[in-house]
Amino acid sequence: MAEPGPVTIVHVVDDDHDLGRAVARLLTRLGHRATAFDSPVDMMNHQRNEQAHCLVTDIMMAELDGFAFAEQVRAQDPAIAIIFMTAWPSTANAVDAVRLYGGLDYLEKPLDQVRLAAAVAEGAGWSLKRRDALGRIGMLTPREREVFACLGEGMSNKLVASTLGLSPKTIEDHRAAIIMKTGAASPAALIALFRATQGA
């Protein structure tokens, strides 16, 4: 019998009290631990104690617009997936949401439940992967992070040494330490881990 996957935490923010709770109930039925908040500030305070994997937020809110809210959340937690929802869609805003504010998806109200479910599942998966990657590099020293970034770009040891002004032997030592700490033993694994830390 397969082990159950990790419980994914979703925070829903909408100053329409009833709608926010309806979305949270739906996501709870789908297996997420979902909590609704009327206020962006309340959600951010809660996020400090319970980090969500995915945030579903309205754009048009009286207290703080969803885009500014997303920037604040992303600064607090780079590994949270953000999904925007709005009753006033526009092509310009949809592009802004995804490209400028790190939105994973942009949903129009009334929400398509199938699309919402798919977006949250994708966002939670992305968040779990990025949290794991960031955790794995958490023990690297600043110099090892520099070397890791170069290796993650596909550079050879010799090119990394030249780029950072270090000896090839020093790069080999740093690479060995990075492999030991992260478990990424091959060039492909290092590149994949680096991309995951960047949210790719």
Side-chain angles (χ1 to χ4, degrees):
M1 185 175 176
E3 289 290 323
V7 174
T8 51
I9 300 170
V10 184
H11 291 163
V12 180
V13 180
D14 196 317
D15 55 9
D16 181 331
H17 178 90
D18 293 337
L19 178 60
R21 274 146 188 78
V23 172
R25 284 195 298 271
L26 169 64
L27 294 174
T28 298
R29 290 198 299 272
L30 294 173
H32 305 285
R33 189 158 82 228
T35 305
F37 300 88
D38 299 336
S39 159
V41 172
D42 288 347
M43 177 270 171
M44 290 188 72
N45 289 335
H46 188 84
Q47 174 77 356
R48 294 187 180 96
N49 299 315
E50 183 184 53
Q51 286 188 321
H53 299 97
C54 187
L55 165 65
V56 180
T57 180
D58 193 21
I59 293 174
M60 303 291 286
M61 295 183 287
E63 185 177 345
L64 181 68
D65 81 81
F67 293 147
F69 176 41
E71 288 187 314
Q72 292 183 21
V73 171
R74 182 71 75 209
Q76 185 185 86
D77 181 4
I80 187 171
I82 299 173
I83 297 168
F84 294 110
M85 55 183 176
T86 184
W88 307 98
S90 74
T91 302
N93 277 349
V95 172
D96 284 347
V98 175
R99 294 185 180 177
L100 299 181
Y101 299 99
L104 179 70
D105 207 344
Y106 182 97
L107 307 178
E108 298 179 17
K109 296 177 181 179
L111 299 178
D112 180 322
Q113 294 187 5
V114 173
R115 185 174 170 189
L116 171 66
V120 170
E122 180 185 351
W126 175 90
S127 177
L128 286 165
K129 180 179 176 183
R130 191 169 192 197
R131 283 198 199 290
D132 174 69
L134 292 172
R136 288 169 65 188
I137 69 167
M139 291 187 296
L140 299 183
T141 66
R143 177 61 85 183
E144 287 167 355
R145 285 175 182 261
E146 289 181 332
V147 174
F148 169 70
C150 291
L151 295 172
E153 294 286 358
M155 295 184 187
S156 65
N157 284 4
K158 184 176 180 181
L159 182 54
V160 176
S162 174
T163 299
L164 298 180
L166 301 171
S167 71
K169 176 63 171 65
T170 298
I171 298 303
E172 289 176 11
D173 291 343
H174 283 313
R175 183 176 191 140
I178 291 166
I179 289 171
M180 181 184 69
K181 291 178 180 179
T182 66
S186 68
L190 284 168
I191 291 171
L193 179 60
F194 175 71
R195 288 179 177 171
T197 65
Q198 303 303 300

